[in-house]
Amino acid sequence: MLNKILKQTIASAALCSMLTLSHSALAHDDHTHDKVANKTGAANQTESARVVSAGAGVTELVFALNAGNELVAVDSTSQLPKGHNEVAKLGYHRMLSAEGILALSPNLVLGTDAMGPKATLDVLSGANVKVIQLPDAHTQAQLLSNIDEMGKLLNRENQAKTLQNQVNQSFTKIEKKQQQIAQQGDAPKVLFLLLQADRPARVGGDDTAADIIIKLAGGKNIAGFSGYKSVSQEGILSLQPDVILISNRSDKAIESPIDDLLKQMPLLEHTPAGKNKHIQSLKPQALLGGLGLSAIEAADKLASDFINVNQY
């Protein structure tokens, strides 16, 4: 459903290309980067919006609010829909360069608490660029709050209300699937593997984006620790996961990531997940920026898969 929502909103963005933000939304009201809770500003009546978005989840929301046409740059984690090739690509959202951003003459730089470094944000604020850091969303309430604040900042308040309703509907749909999973017995045991070139596979434990998605979908993350850690094949085998989720951050295109994983880690074929072919890929953008639209979409699909897992 979210795919449909995004496609609809991206298509609508083209119709909104002549809209401009009102003056106070992007007003350069001080020289310090401020948290969104402190001030969001009023509407800009005279100045065209030139927005830099840093963070895959934030950029998704910009497009979902029909403001994609106002983007002048995004960070390297953000995915751009077709037709937005003119938008510049910056570096990683935690390692932004002030010079590169200032060269684009933005009036709003939008990201999360993870955006940085602080020295870059201070330089931008000192150059009268409005810098807003939204709290990383880990809950439905925080995501809805971020949508509300972005609606005000981008002068898309009506679109924000519509998107909030759509997000609430998605959560309701997932909750119904969670109830069905619970009625079928114990929650499926799930293991998440983060795959990167030239590095050992790492398992995602508590307090990770993968953990948020697994629990939202009604599964049980069996990692047993917090953050990311390397775990041997024997260690994974002992956990006997029902489902293995993988995400590959390699720049190299992999035609069949699941077959590639089993080739590299053949012991996984002896887990319930391997025997029943319950190994699935998560899109990298679903794991960036906490709970966002891609993460909800991934959780919804995963919840449907968990219902089938319990049939074995």
Side-chain angles (χ1 to χ4, degrees), residues 49-65:
R50 295 182 61 82
V51 180
V52 171
S53 175
V58 171
T59 302
E60 275 188 342
L61 292 178
V62 170
F63 280 102
L65 292 170

Side-chain angles (χ1 to χ4, degrees), residues 8-75:
Q8 290 173 339
T9 52
I10 290 168
S12 300
L15 298 176
C16 298
S17 60
M18 298 304 293
L19 292 178
T20 57
L21 290 180
S22 56
H23 181 63
S24 51
L26 301 176
H28 303 157
D29 48 4
D30 69 19
H31 289 187
T32 61
H33 61 271
D34 45 343
K35 303 289 186 182
V36 71
N38 294 332
K39 50 190 159 194
T40 56
N44 185 332
Q45 301 293 339
T46 60
E47 189 175 6
S48 295
R50 295 182 61 82
V51 180
V52 171
S53 175
V58 171
T59 302
E60 275 188 342
L61 292 178
V62 170
F63 280 102
L65 292 170
N66 294 344
N69 60 302
E70 293 169 350
L71 287 172
V72 294
V74 297
D75 77 312

